[in-house]
Amino acid sequence: YDNLLETRPRQDATVVTIAEISFPAGCSEPLIKIVEHYSWTGEKHPTQHDKLTRLLGKHWKCRKIVIDATGIGQPVASFLRNSLGSRVEPFTFTTRSKSELAFELLTALNSGRVKMYRSDGTREYMRFWEEAQKARACYQAGQNLNFYVDRSDGHDDFLMSLALTVKASLGYHHRLARGS
């Protein structure tokens, strides 16, 4: 874990949430088992790109990746899509897209389809639960739902990463074995 979060508490972190997706018998929606978190702060884009390519493409061999492509996240998303191809889906946060993401996250959580790994004592595990406990939601004009961690309480990087993981699971298709 990078201790820069403590020395620069207002700086956003890059958070990667790794999940295993399965379709239990009789379920049309995927079960999302969070298996690992990675986090770092203050990395330059080329370094982030290299880390993400190795982590997502080589180490975990992720089949579906949704990445924040808003603002300064756009270059990293573009580089990652060039490296890993169509399995990378850039996501741009707008009032409407974030609202849709909020409803998708709530649906997955309320239906019990999101499972978190057992405490491993890591800083990432603790940060995830800190953010989850501090998460807030409010309705906005146009029936939009916003969700966040108030800046005075910290960041929402793990929360947004979880939401993007839920989004990735919805685009994941159940694979069936086929004989010849």
Side-chain angles (χ1 to χ4, degrees), residues 86-106:
S86 62
R87 60 183 154 166
V88 176
E89 178 185 327
F91 182 89
T92 303
F93 281 91
T94 65
T95 300
R96 187 73 202 135
S97 69
K98 188 173 181 183
S99 177
E100 290 169 3
L101 199 63
F103 284 113
E104 291 166 355
L105 177 60
L106 283 174

Side-chain angles (χ1 to χ4, degrees), residues 74-87:
Q74 195 281 327
V76 176
S78 179
F79 288 137
L80 198 59
R81 183 153 174 102
N82 287 338
S83 295
L84 300 177
S86 62
R87 60 183 154 166

Side-chain angles (χ1 to χ4, degrees), residues 14-21 38 40 48-69 73 76-92 101 160-173:
T14 297
V15 175
V16 175
T17 302
I18 304 293
E20 176 185 300
I21 307 301
Y38 297 91
W40 57 85
Q48 281 192 47
H49 174 255
D50 291 343
K51 276 186 176 181
L52 290 168
T53 300
R54 282 193 313 275
L55 188 66
L56 301 172
K58 295 178 182 166
H59 181 74
W60 287 100
K61 298 179 181 148
C62 296
R63 293 186 194 155
K64 183 72 177 170
I65 302 160
V66 177
I67 183 169
D68 180 2
V76 176
S78 179
F79 288 137
L80 198 59
R81 183 153 174 102
N82 287 338
S83 295
L84 300 177
S86 62
R87 60 183 154 166
V88 176
E89 178 185 327
F91 182 89
T92 303
L101 199 63
M160 294 307 133
S161 185
L162 175 63
L164 293 174
T165 301
V166 170
K167 175 88 173 150
S169 78
L170 298 175
Y172 183 80
H173 299 290

